[in-house]
Amino acid sequence: MDYKFIIKQRMEGYTLTSFGKNLQECSINEKHIALSKALMEEIVPPWRESEKKFKDKKRAYYLSSEYLMGRALSNNLINLNIKNEIESLMNDIGVSYNDIEEAEEDAALGNGGLGRLAACFLDSAATLDYPLTGYGIRYAFGIFKQKFMDGFQVEAADDWLKYGDPWSIRKEDEKVRVRFSSGEIYAVPYDTPIIGYKSNTINTLRLWKAEPLEVFNFKEFNDQHYDLAVKEKNDAENIGKVLYPNDSNDEGKILRLKQQYFFVSASLQDIVRNYKMNHSDFKDFSYYHAIQLNDTHPTVAIPELMRIFTRIEGLSWEESWNIVVNTFAYTNHTLLAEALEQWPVKLYKALLPEIYDIIVGINNQLMHELGGRGIYNSEAYQYEIIQHDSIKMAHLAIYGSKSINGVAKIHSDLLKDRELNQWYRLYPERFNNKTNGITQRRWLLQSNQELSNFITELLQTDSWITDLSKLKDLERYINDENVLRKFLDIKQIKKDQLAEYILKHDGVQIDSKSIYDVQIKRMHEYKRQLLNAFHILDLYYRLKEDPNMDIVPRTFIFGAKAAPGYFRAKAVIKFINDIANLVNNDSDIGGKIRVVFVENYRVSYAERIFPAADVSEQISTAGKEASGTGNMKFMLNGAPTLGTYDGANIEIVQEAGEDNNFIFGLRVEDIMEIQSSYNPYEYYNGVPGLRRVVDSLINGTFDDKGTGVYSELYDSLLKGANWHRPDNYFILKDFEDYRNAQQAINDIYKDRINWAKRCWMNIANAGKFSSDRTIEEYAREIWNIESTKQEVNIR
């Protein structure tokens, strides 16, 4: 029977039983749901077969508080190799596939690079036929939907589940109980298929939903205590409402801690339950399981598995600890001291007293071990897991894991040499590097079809889709002007498409012939969106003074969300939006620069921005960015890096050549040398034009509506604020060098072929930065799992 006919029949069946309508009568959202459910009928049988083939194999499990998955439809169709057939079917029934694609909400399960990395890893593992299961929380509203009002970020609920989630299956019979001091709740699993590209594997992302043991208290309702009747339900569901709830007070901190323990406990109970189905004891547990902690958020897994082993399964402490250490591995994602998670002892005692007792036992064991090595008193103090009434989660993760990895070479080196040096001296064999990567299936094949087709045409093979190192062969075209002009034509197509999308969604008209200078990433002081903003304002003032200044028109594009309680980061968003309002409405500068801060930046928006970008802004303070993955997505789509010598930028320029990128600013060793004597006033007063832009924060140029956020931002630069020193991220020191690098971009861009060569060298040398390579390293060097190539019929 014709395949398209089968899918259409299924869609018609779903629309009748789900919506009471014929297919043609349905809304575009309903048609999207029907198509997705019809496709799930194709996916579930091989998904079950894939589960069976890994039954007796060692498996890896990824514990992550977030997964920034993006939309599923196109990604699944590409990986199943049926996208053309489905597009044809939609055309046959008079439906725009693009409209169907746009109807899908981005899964609101993540925020930044941490969550997107997890998503790329799942894609790569399935493509390479490795058994990797993801565990996390099924957030009802994600982090938030971002709006701008008077330039301020305003948070609204991101109701991504309002039309349902056709890609997940509720597994009611596999729910587990999670216990807090205040009572028990259910963790109900929802499974989503992770489909490998033309592979024999469909892995699983299992997300837990928090539900009460008693949904409705009839007695309280009958007694007219209506709020109490649903209190247990509300309290349970609050755990999975929002990613990273505001934790500026103890109530928020308790909710975050509940989230962490909830998904970790549920996941470990699930893993142990499955193991016990086929084993009578736990001596082989670490042989069959490798559990990766994605940053410190799931570190409570270490004492929780100790609790399960010692207090439920009856194992000795020594045997349990040996299994735990040989099961867990820890990925560190940050060099920021304030981001190395710590929890107040009082919260653990109040919420998780049994877990706290086990952490005390682990800490005592560590101190005893250190004593055996001749490490005592003040020297031992630097290792303690419990310090000053705080639990140091990074210390717990390191002590309880067999592997500790950074995510770029410089990051891993800094962990060993500086941030975690005492631990490296104690356990040098545990430390290693795994440079991050991205999946080329989503970030080139799916998001940039024009460039993908061109690459396949030049290489005369599409093998690069699963072996990105093949891109190296593109170097032979570096002097072929026809190839370079074709690349520039493709870039222009993507720029035109983005300009149209920005106009539709953000109401800002931009010049698609201008340089697209892009900074899209989580909003944080160390990422230095403020440095970018200062340069834009300086350029604007210089244009006002000299309207005939010779510059290539430039469009500065921002996309970022600031955490709801991170007021200084939110002040930077307001500042950039105020600059945009000033610049975009001044006819004196002749449209030579434009600024747009896209609203509600997310994966589906990113898929349009990366292919269109001309310049990749990666300007974090040196030594602060662990790796970055946005830099890799820009590189893969042919945008040179404007960045500091930091994170994966270093490896990018090592691969593609520093001459083909724009590196500026202080390096790690420079910062270490000057930080004790650094005086920002030297640059505030000494760098031409700088004082003028900094003073715009306080001299009435812009209006923060009486909130005081601009003066606080100004003080953070010149006086210091909170625990930070003045200009803690060296914005004023790096400003002039950054401005010079921006001028170099302006000058070089004018020679279009020369510019295209720089872009082309970045594409040709992006092979290292595939998450396929990263996953191969995890699988081989940390998890010790094997790829399975048994035949599974996807269709």
Side-chain angles (χ1 to χ4, degrees), residues 46 58 175 244 300 459 493 524 533 559 571:
K58 184 175 186 180
K175 66 186 179 184
Y244 302 144
V300 70
L459 297 179
I493 289 169
H524 197 288

Side-chain angles (χ1 to χ4, degrees), residues 15 17 62 90 97 128 181 200-201 269 283 303 311 318 475 477 488 498 507 515 529 550 582 598 611 729 757 783:
T15 59
T17 58
Y62 206 73
M90 293 301 101
Y97 176 79
L128 298 171
S181 61
N200 298 324
T201 294
Q269 289 183 60
K283 62 181 173 46
R311 304 194 179 186
E318 293 75 14
E475 277 195 9
Y477 296 105
L488 291 173
L498 180 60
I515 298 173
Q529 285 94 344
D550 181 23
L582 173 69
V598 302
Y729 299 105
K757 285 183 178 181
W783 301 334

Side-chain angles (χ1 to χ4, degrees), residues 461-478:
T461 176
D462 66 358
S463 60
W464 61 269
I465 299 171
T466 52
D467 181 3
L468 201 60
S469 68
K470 299 287 188 184
L471 295 188
K472 188 71 174 176
D473 292 341
L474 293 173
E475 277 195 9
R476 66 176 183 264
Y477 296 105
I478 193 61

